[in-house]
């Protein structure tokens, strides 16, 4: 009788704990502790912050941009790993931070098609005052562009998985072809008993 | 039957432990030098005894933005796993762009001294604070 009661209580607590009452959802902080050995949101955020700080602090960049706010464009970073990462989002985040620094101006080639379509509408529909209509050929030209790559090395030993990720970013001068700035962010994470689905 | 009861209890305990593992919060120590003085606000005495902020220096990077260097010294012989976040404030004491500042991992070897650096991303940033928290280093 006593054993049956213990069994019943344990099972009841198990049912409650395993979430029969539906999923429990929490708002999480952005920089939470790692839950896998793979690339996570906090790794991307740290990388973006480090790259933006490094670029702002670099003496070579300051010398190349002295007395002006250079116009920059972005070439999305290349993903040389097997994992799926939105590389454009990373360069977009770096751009956001750099724009906030008020040291650079940015143009965006990826929206050039939409720009042309709007200008065509202004020119052809007749709704816009022709004197105010924006025409192609007046846009700023990018003087430099930001790009980079992500690489990784994965090592497995028994049930231990070791991931090494390396972000590399460069700022290149379009006119001279010179690489003005470059930096790396290395991330190494390992886990034991982690299930891999790739 | 007793074996089944024991197994069920073990499962229940493991579930409980699993839930607590995720809610373990980091502890924090905040260095405030808005007034030019280094004052430690201890959120946790354990962390205070493990890490000390031994120096704070400011300079300017070539672009004119402020840069801060915090020198941290381990007070213990074992390796400690920390995270730190440097926040910047304007001349009125309001935090600038607080949401985008991230906690960065920092592993300090026993009795070692390390320097962490932060660069402001706004010309309005004049002072900064470092917040340190300790993470589970059981791995």
């Amino acid at each position: 009788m006593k054993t049956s009661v213990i069994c019943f209580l344990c099972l009841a607590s198990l049912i409650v704990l395993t979430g029969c009452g539906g999923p429990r959802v929490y708002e999480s902080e952005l920089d939470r502790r790692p839950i896998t050995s793979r690339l996570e949101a906090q790794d991307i955020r740290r990388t973006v912050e480090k790259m933006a700080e490094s670029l702002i602090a670099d003496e070579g960049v300051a010398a190349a941009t002295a007395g002006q706010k250079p116009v920059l464009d972005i070439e999305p970073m290349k993903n040389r790993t097997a994992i799926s990462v939105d590389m454009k989002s990373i360069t977009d985040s770096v751009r956001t931070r750099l724009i906030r620094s008020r040291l650079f101006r940015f143009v965006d080639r990826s929206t050039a098609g939409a720009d042309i379509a709007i200008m065509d509408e202004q020119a052809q529909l007749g709704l816009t005052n022709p004197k105010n209509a924006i025409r192609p050929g007046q846009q700023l030209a990018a003087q430099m562009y930001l790009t980079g790559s992500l690489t990784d090395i994965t090592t497995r030993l028994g049930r231990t998985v070791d991931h090494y990720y390396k972000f590399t970013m460069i700022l290149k001068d379009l006119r001279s072809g010179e690489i003005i700035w470059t930096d790396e962010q290395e991330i190494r994470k390992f886990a034991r008993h982690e299930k891999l689905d790739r | 039957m007793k074996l089944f009861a024991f197994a069920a209890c073990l499962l229940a305990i493991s579930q409980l432990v699993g839930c607590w593992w995720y809610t373990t919060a980091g502890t924090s120590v905040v260095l405030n030098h808005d007034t030019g003085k280094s004052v430690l606000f201890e959120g946790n005495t354990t962390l205070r005894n493990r890490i000390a902020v031994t120096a704070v220096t400011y300079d300017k990077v070539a672009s004119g933005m402020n840069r801060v260097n915090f020198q941290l010294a381990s007070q213990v012989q074992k390796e400690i796993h920390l995270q730190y976040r440097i926040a910047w404030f304007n001349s009125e004491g309001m935090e600038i762009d607080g949401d985008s500042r991230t906690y960065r991992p920092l592993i300090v070897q026993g009795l070692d001294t390390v320097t962490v650096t932060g660069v402001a991303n706004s010309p309005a940033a004049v002072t900064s604070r470092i917040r340190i928290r300790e993470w589970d280093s059981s791995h």
Side-chain angles (χ1 to χ4, degrees), chain A residues 9-167:
Chain A
L9 285 173
C10 286
L11 278 175
S13 62
L14 200 62
I15 288 165
V16 169
L17 288 168
T18 48
C20 278
R24 287 178 294 172
V25 181
Y26 303 98
E27 192 85 37
S28 172
E29 64 167 334
L30 287 167
D31 295 313
R32 59 169 299 169
R33 62 183 297 158
I35 53 172
T36 76
S37 66
R38 289 169 227 174
L39 216 51
E40 295 177 76
Q42 63 269 25
D43 302 318
I44 302 292
R45 281 168 50 80
R46 286 170 196 148
T47 301
V48 166
E49 186 178 70
K50 187 211 165 166
M51 292 297 183
E53 283 192 4
S54 170
L55 206 155
I56 289 170
D58 189 77
E59 289 185 8
V61 173
T65 60
Q68 58 167 332
K69 276 188 179 180
V71 181
L72 269 57
D73 200 351
I74 279 178
E75 175 65 24
M77 296 170 71
K78 291 173 182 61
N79 183 359
R80 291 200 237 142
T81 71
I83 55 172
S84 174
V85 182
D86 185 352
M87 303 305 288
K88 187 173 185 306
S89 169
I90 297 172
T91 36
D92 285 351
S93 296
V94 174
R95 177 176 62 191
T96 302
R97 284 177 174 265
L98 293 177
I99 286 177
R100 284 179 189 166
S101 75
R102 308 285 177 208
L103 295 173
F104 307 94
R105 290 178 294 171
F106 275 88
V107 290
D108 187 357
R109 257 185 312 134
S110 66
T111 54
D115 296 348
I116 292 287
I118 293 169
M119 285 177 218
D120 282 349
E121 281 183 13
Q122 288 183 353
Q124 291 170 12
L125 290 181
L127 293 170
T128 311
N129 183 343
K131 290 178 184 171
N132 298 337
I134 308 297
R135 295 178 192 84
Q138 301 173 62
Q139 287 68 43
L140 287 172
Q143 299 162 272
M144 303 171 188
Y145 69 92
L146 263 178
T147 189
S149 62
L150 167 65
T151 56
D152 75 334
I153 299 171
T154 300
T155 311
R156 294 187 184 91
L157 182 64
R159 298 176 76 182
T160 300
V161 185
D162 184 307
H163 286 294
Y164 168 81
Y165 301 99
K166 187 174 77 172
F167 288 92

Side-chain angles (χ1 to χ4, degrees), chain B residues 46-99:
Chain B
T46 308
L47 186 56
R48 180 191 60 186
N49 294 333
R50 289 183 176 182
I51 193 87
V53 182
T54 50
V56 184
T57 61
Y58 277 94
D59 62 353
K60 281 191 186 293
V61 296
S63 61
M65 300 288 185
N66 278 318
R67 174 168 55 194
V68 65
N69 302 292
F70 292 96
Q71 191 181 65
L72 308 172
S74 168
Q75 308 293 297
V76 291
Q77 294 197 347
K78 65 177 272 193
E79 178 183 284
I80 45 178
H81 290 235
L82 306 170
Q83 288 191 328
Y84 71 94
R85 173 181 178 270
I86 296 174
W88 286 92
F89 298 82
N90 65 17
S91 56
E92 293 169 352
M94 304 302 289
E95 186 170 0
I96 297 171
D97 205 12
D99 290 343

